[in-house]
C-alpha cells in the first residue's frame, strides 16, 4: 500500500503533469469507485480546471475550478498515469479524465479498492479517515509535546500506535518498521513506557526516514509507479522491511519477522529489545 512518501511522489508527479489543465470529459468504467454516482461525478467535472494537487496523510486532494475537490485514496494498488488519448485502455483503467491538451489522466487499480469522492472545496476533511486524521509528520505539526502526550496517555504497542492514522498521518507497514529500527524500539514496546530520549529519537527518525524516502521517490515493493511511470528506489535503503533472515545493518544479528496487529513486522532482536 502506498504510504506518505509514495503518495507525495504521486502528488508531485501529478502537479507537474496535470496542474492547470482542463478536464474535457470523464469516463467512469467502474462506477463503485466514484462518489457521487458516476453520471453526477462526470457531469460536475466537465470543463473544470485542475487548480492544485494537495496531499494529507495518504490522501490525494485534487482541487478543481467551480469549488470542487476530489479526495482520492489509492488504497492497495491505485496508480495514476498520463498517456496519449489514442492509447488503448488498460484492463484496470477505471476512471479516465480527458484533458484539453489531448492527453488522458488515467486511474488504474488492479484490486479496485481505491475511491474518489468529489465534494465542495472545504468539505474534504469530512470524508472518511480525513475526519479524524492526526498531524502531518513534519517538525511544525508533529510537535514533541503532542507526541509525548499521545504516547504517555496510552498503553498501546508501538507498531500499532504508529499505524494509527489518527495519531500520526501517513505511516504504514514499511515505514513504521523502519522508524522503529532507527529508534531502537521494539514493535511491541508499550507506548507509555518510552523514555523522553526515546520519544525525541522516534520523532527525529520519523522526519529523517520520510524525507529520505521522498527523495528516493518512495519504495517500490509490488507494482507501485509514480505518475510519470517511474518506480521509486527507496527499497534499496530499507533496514528491516522484508529483510527477515538477513543481517542487521547495525549489529549483524539476523532480522526477524513476527506478526503484530495482524501485520508482518520486521525488527532486529538485538537492537530492539522488548522491556
Ligand atoms: Zn541490530
Amino acid at each position: 500500500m502506498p504510504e506518505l512518501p509514495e503518495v507525495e511522489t504521486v502528488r508531485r508527479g501529478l502537479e507537474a503533469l496535470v496542474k492547470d489543465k482542463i478536464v474535457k470529459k470523464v469516463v467512469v468504467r467502474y462506477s463503485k469507485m466514484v462518489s457521487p454516482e458516476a453520471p453526477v461525478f462526470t457531469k460536475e467535472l466537465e470543463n473544470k480546471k485542475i487548480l492544485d494537487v494537495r496531499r494529507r496523510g495518504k490522501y490525494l486532494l485534487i482541487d478543481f475550478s467551480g469549488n470542487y475537490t476530489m479526495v482520492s485514496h489509492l488504497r492497495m494498488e491505485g496508480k495514476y498515469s498520463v498517456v496519449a488519448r489514442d492509447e488503448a485502455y488498460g484492463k484496470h483503467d477505471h476512471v479516465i479524465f480527458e484533458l484539453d491538451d489531448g492527453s488522458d489522466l488515467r486511474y488504474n487499480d488492479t484490486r479496485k479498492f481505491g475511491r474518489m469522492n468529489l465534494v465542495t472545496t472545504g468539505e474534504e476533511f469530512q470524508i472518511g479517515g480525513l475526519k479524524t486524521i492526526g498531524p502531518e509528520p513534519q517538525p511544525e505539526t508533529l510537535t514533541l509535546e503532542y507526541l509525548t502526550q499521545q504516547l504517555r496517555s496510552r498503553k498501546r504497542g508501538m507498531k500499532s500506535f504508529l499505524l494509527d492514522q489518527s495519531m500520526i498521518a501517513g505511516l504504514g507497514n514499511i515505514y513504521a518498521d523502519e522508524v522503529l529500527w532507527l529508534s531502537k524500539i521494539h514493535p511491541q514496546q508499550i507506548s507509555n513506557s518510552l523514555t523522553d530520549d526515546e520519544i525525541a529519537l522516534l520523532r527525529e527518525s520519523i522526519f529523517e526516514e520520510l524525507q529520505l524516502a521522498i527523495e528516493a521517490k518512495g519504495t517500490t515493493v509490488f507494482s507501485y509507479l509514480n505518475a510519470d511511470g517511474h518506480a521509486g528506489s527507496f527499497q534499496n535503503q530499507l533496514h528491516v522491511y522484508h529483510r527477515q533472515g538477513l543481517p542487521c545493518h547495525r549489529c549483524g544479528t539476523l532480522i526477524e519477522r513476527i506478526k503484530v496487529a495482524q501485520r508482518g513486522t520486521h525488527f532486529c532482536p538485538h537492537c530492539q529489545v522488548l522491556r
Side-chain angles (χ1 to χ4, degrees):
M1 179 193 274
E3 303 179 29
L4 189 151
E6 292 77 45
V7 179
E8 175 60 20
T9 303
V10 172
R11 187 198 71 74
R12 291 178 184 190
L14 289 178
E15 187 177 48
L17 293 167
V18 303
K19 190 175 167 179
D20 295 330
K21 297 199 173 149
I22 293 166
V23 175
K24 298 310 288 180
K25 189 181 156 192
V26 182
V27 178
V28 177
R29 302 173 76 213
Y30 179 64
S31 60
K32 279 186 197 160
M33 201 155 268
V34 301
S35 156
E37 56 188 20
V40 181
F41 182 90
T42 53
K43 184 86 187 117
E44 304 278 24
L45 283 177
E46 242 170 55
N47 295 312
K48 299 297 187 298
K49 185 174 180 177
I50 299 172
L51 299 178
D52 203 2
V53 185
R54 297 179 284 141
R55 180 193 57 74
R56 181 75 169 87
K58 302 177 196 172
Y59 293 84
L60 284 167
L61 308 170
I62 305 180
D63 295 325
F64 295 89
S65 59
N67 216 27
Y68 288 105
T69 295
M70 186 178 85
V71 177
S72 170
H73 198 297
L74 307 173
R75 300 289 175 87
M76 302 298 284
E77 297 278 342
K79 284 180 268 302
Y80 282 99
S81 60
V82 178
V83 299
R85 179 143 321 134
D86 56 12
E87 193 170 302
Y89 288 163
K91 184 180 172 201
H92 302 289
D93 287 345
H94 299 302
V95 183
I96 295 97
F97 303 83
E98 296 186 0
L99 305 175
D100 60 334
D101 66 350
S103 67
D104 280 1
L105 170 64
R106 296 186 186 173
Y107 179 75
N108 177 291
D109 194 335
T110 50
R111 298 181 67 175
K112 298 185 176 178
F113 288 150
R115 289 294 177 267
M116 296 172 186
N117 286 283
L118 187 65
V119 297
T120 301
T121 302
E123 289 175 4
E124 59 272 29
F125 293 107
Q126 302 306 316
I127 298 289
L130 283 170
K131 229 186 290 189
T132 55
I133 199 163
E136 283 292 304
Q138 281 157 10
E140 317 80 64
T141 42
L142 182 62
T143 64
L144 186 58
E145 293 71 28
Y146 169 86
L147 186 58
T148 304
Q149 203 249 326
Q150 297 301 327
L151 288 164
R152 291 267 159 84
S153 62
R154 287 177 175 78
K155 291 185 184 175
R156 286 184 70 178
M158 282 308 299
K159 172 82 182 254
S160 111
F161 180 92
L162 292 179
L163 291 177
D164 186 340
Q165 302 299 297
S166 70
M167 294 292 113
I168 304 170
L171 293 171
N173 211 32
I174 299 176
Y175 299 105
D177 283 3
E178 293 296 313
V179 160
L180 288 170
W181 181 85
L182 287 170
S183 319
K184 301 185 185 176
I185 295 169
H186 190 281
Q188 289 168 307
Q189 189 70 37
I190 299 300
S191 59
N192 71 353
S193 70
L194 263 55
T195 64
D196 289 349
D197 285 350
E198 283 177 321
I199 296 173
L201 177 60
L202 172 69
R203 180 170 170 268
E204 292 303 323
S205 301
I206 292 170
F207 302 150
E208 184 190 340
E209 175 73 3
L210 295 176
Q211 190 54 45
L212 286 171
I214 290 170
E215 283 168 18
K217 300 186 191 299
T219 300
T220 306
V221 179
F222 300 107
S223 64
Y224 151 78
L225 290 176
N226 308 331
D228 60 4
H230 292 103
S233 65
F234 196 68
Q235 62 278 12
N236 304 319
Q237 296 178 59
L238 298 176
H239 294 291
V240 285
Y241 186 77
H242 272 199
R243 291 196 68 250
Q244 59 270 25
L246 295 170
C248 172
H249 289 149
R250 214 160 27 208
C251 74
T253 304
L254 300 185
I255 299 299
E256 289 183 8
R257 184 179 192 274
I258 56 173
K259 277 246 166 158
V260 178
Q262 279 92 54
R263 308 296 295 274
T265 296
H266 312 77
F267 73 107
C268 170
H270 178 77
C271 294
Q272 296 165 268
V273 176
L274 183 61
R275 298 193 311 271

